[in-house]
Amino acid sequence: MTSTQVERHEGESDGGKALGATPEEGYKRGLGSRQVQMIAIGGAIGTGLFYGSSKSIAAIGPSLIACYAVAGVVIFFIMRALGELLTYRPTSGSFADYAREFFGPFAGFATGWSYWALWVTACMSEVTAAGAYINYWWPAIPVWSTAAVALVVLFVANLVSVKLFGELEFWFSTIKVVAIIAMIVIGIGILTFGFSSAGDTASVSHLWADGGFAPNGAWQAMLAMQGVIFAYLGVELVGITAGEAENPKQTLRKAINTLPVRIGIFYVGALIVLLSVFSWTHYKPGVSPFVQVFAQVGIPGAAGIMNFVVLTAALSSCNSGIYSTGRMLRGLAVNGEAPKTMEKLSGRQLPLPALVLSTLVMGIGVIVNIVSPDKAFVYITSVATCAGLWTWIVILGAHLRYRSRVRAGLLPAADFRMPGAPVTNWIGILALGFVVVLMATDADTRLGLYVWAVWFVVLGIGYQAAKRRAVLAVQA
């Protein structure tokens, strides 16, 4: 960090110019358009749809469709705001760099470390889940060992090249997409031609006939929004690829513009079919709705097929987590907000020390999760939940600041503009604020807000320590 940066550490960067070196410097642009497109698709599809949706269906019925549609609109606003920022200045530091540029160094510090924590804790959970899914076929093998092997394999893949990471994500995402499309095609076939035992009762009237569209009331449906919007966590990951994507402005623009189609098909479309084939009362919490549909039409090994699909979803999430934490940690180091050794790149142009440290922390968390899956781990993962909301609000807020500086003639205008801004920015911010309010009304999720407050105190202490270290380095 330079002396100029130290002097400006308490305020915004002059004229909106980013502080520090550009974190993508030295990276190899090894992610092709095909891979970035599937990373974007995979980021929007997680285990929450394949398994978690059964619990939500049982709680609020067909109104879950509206929840996913409304949340999808908010996510599209967020991603278009991010897309305009990435068009203005592609950077692998992504949200942290924009927070630093438009809100000052502490915002960049807090956003970078929070996003790092988000993916570290998510990987702890996902790789443990992957171990459990593998045990479906080999129950005698301890979960910790399969989880550890999965983590090591993905870590090694991330060390080989960014292209291998992208290729893994391509195939992981392809498996998830094929599973969803297969269910939709089968469901439409049941509704149209009436085959299988479900054909006699399958009807779109299930969407409103069994207690109404919101059988448990509108308020219950709104309470479910917090879980729904969290199902989209990871969709912003495509922004991290900016420093290593071939022709990032064109590739990322296409990935973001197709987001409404992906949400419309993979979430809204899938739920419409699921809830038309069977009444919402048919689905049992804890059992994948996909398994129930596949089993009903007589597909052999339906449970095993879906176990394989959710295994790939968990591995995909962990693979993405290793990738993103390495880039985010290096970006923090470039700006003097993490140990300088984390700034180094390997001969393959990969952030080796940052990848190693992030994966080691994930490994420790896996052991904690398996040995003591109690409240302590819930506290840790609640940081990830709030970090996702913080990241999205920062993206929308940074975009507002960017647009204001464009109007003032301080920054160049991007040709990929967010539609409806600044109104759509405020719609997104208010919607995310409403989710925070909903979290505060529930005892379990309220805990996450308390932990987040403690986390911010820790960040404040860490920021002051980093600033003192930078001052001493300059004086030396």
Side-chain angles (χ1 to χ4, degrees):
M1 184 176 287
T2 66
S3 58
T4 303
Q5 289 174 301
V6 172
E7 290 167 5
R8 294 196 332 217
H9 225 297
E10 292 298 336
E12 295 180 16
S13 53
D14 297 336
K17 294 178 182 178
L19 300 181
T22 306
E24 70 268 25
E25 287 178 359
Y27 285 134
K28 181 179 180 180
R29 295 198 176 275
L31 293 175
S33 176
R34 170 180 64 93
Q35 294 166 324
V36 172
Q37 293 298 322
M38 292 306 284
I39 289 170
I41 291 173
I45 307 171
T47 54
L49 175 63
F50 294 115
Y51 265 101
S53 57
S54 61
K55 182 178 179 181
S56 299
I57 290 170
I60 66 171
S63 58
L64 183 63
I65 297 169
C67 290
Y68 271 106
V70 171
V73 171
V74 174
I75 296 302
F76 179 63
F77 291 158
I78 293 166
M79 292 304 294
R80 280 299 298 259
L82 178 59
E84 186 170 347
L85 290 169
L86 288 167
T87 303
Y88 145 66
R89 186 170 66 86
T91 167
S92 60
S94 198
F95 347 104
D97 280 349
Y98 300 132
R100 187 176 296 109
E101 178 174 355
F102 296 108
F103 292 111
F106 178 70
F109 180 89
T111 301
W113 278 110
S114 294
Y115 200 72
W116 181 85
L118 186 161
W119 277 106
V120 165
T121 53
C123 280
M124 293 175 189
S125 177
E126 293 289 3
V127 78
T128 303
Y133 296 142
I134 293 171
N135 275 38
Y136 174 86
W137 295 290
W138 297 287
I141 302 176
V143 172
W144 69 265
S145 62
T146 49
V149 169
L151 184 62
V152 169
V153 169
L154 293 175
F155 169 67
V156 171
N158 271 267
L159 288 186
V160 173
S161 70
V162 68
K163 190 173 185 65
L164 180 56
F165 155 77
E167 201 61 26
L168 281 175
E169 276 306 291
F170 176 84
W171 289 109
F172 285 151
S173 295
T174 298
I175 291 169
K176 293 187 284 186
V177 167
V178 168
I180 295 173
I181 292 177
M183 190 283 298
I184 291 174
V185 170
I186 289 169
I188 292 175
I190 293 172
L191 289 166
T192 305
F193 303 108
F195 65 82
S196 86
S197 58
D200 295 335
T201 57
S203 171
V204 292
S205 64
H206 285 314
L207 298 177
W208 61 82
D210 304 307
F213 186 69
N216 294 321
W219 177 246
Q220 193 66 31
M222 284 191 285
L223 288 176
M225 277 294 292
Q226 53 185 305
V228 168
I229 206 161
F230 295 148
Y232 287 113
L233 281 177
V235 69
E236 74 292 326
L237 176 69
V238 69
I240 303 291
T241 68
E244 292 165 283
E246 298 171 358
N247 195 359
K249 292 185 179 182
Q250 180 181 341
T251 301
L252 296 173
R253 182 183 311 217
K254 184 177 179 182
I256 291 168
N257 270 343
T258 55
L259 182 64
V261 176
R262 299 198 302 270
I263 291 174
I265 294 174
F266 301 130
Y267 277 101
V268 178
L271 287 170
I272 288 174
V273 172
L274 284 170
L275 292 166
S276 296
V277 170
F278 296 118
S279 166
W280 69 276
T281 59
H282 175 87
Y283 294 102
K284 299 176 178 62
V287 180
S288 168
F290 285 73
V291 168
Q292 294 181 61
V293 171
F294 287 163
Q296 195 71 33
V297 298
I299 294 179
I305 291 171
M306 284 312 301
N307 192 73
F308 175 71
V309 172
V310 294
L311 170 61
T312 61
L315 293 175
S316 172
S317 180
C318 190
N319 190 40
S320 297
I322 294 172
Y323 173 85
S324 61
T325 51
R327 274 67 183 173
M328 191 60 73
L329 188 53
R330 183 186 178 240
L332 288 163
V334 166
N335 285 280
E337 296 163 346
K340 189 170 180 59
T341 186
M342 296 297 116
E343 188 178 340
K344 296 177 182 177
L345 291 174
S346 70
R348 296 178 181 269
Q349 297 168 284
L350 300 168
L352 179 60
L355 286 170
V356 170
L357 178 61
S358 298
T359 307
L360 285 175
V361 176
M362 292 172 196
I364 295 170
V366 169
I367 301 301
V368 171
N369 192 24
I370 294 171
V371 173
S372 181
D374 54 12
K375 288 287 186 183
F377 196 75
V378 174
Y379 296 159
I380 296 171
T381 53
S382 64
V383 171
T385 300
C386 294
L389 284 174
W390 169 266
T391 299
W392 290 345
I393 291 172
V394 162
I395 290 170
L396 291 168
H399 179 263
L400 280 172
R401 286 287 182 93
Y402 165 70
R403 278 287 189 92
S404 69
R405 292 182 182 176
V406 169
R407 287 193 299 270
L410 299 173
L411 290 176
D415 61 355
F416 185 52
R417 295 170 66 82
M418 179 185 178
V423 174
T424 44
N425 293 73
W426 287 111
I427 290 174
I429 290 170
L430 289 173
L432 296 175
F434 180 63
V435 172
V436 174
V437 172
L438 291 175
M439 290 179 66
T441 63
D442 183 86
D444 292 335
T445 52
R446 191 185 307 130
L447 175 65
L449 298 179
Y450 295 149
V451 176
W452 184 247
V454 174
W455 171 249
F456 247 76
V457 172
V458 172
L459 287 175
I461 295 170
Y463 174 74
Q464 292 301 322
K467 192 169 70 169
R468 282 196 298 271
R469 186 172 64 246
V471 171
L472 291 174
V474 170
Q475 292 174 345

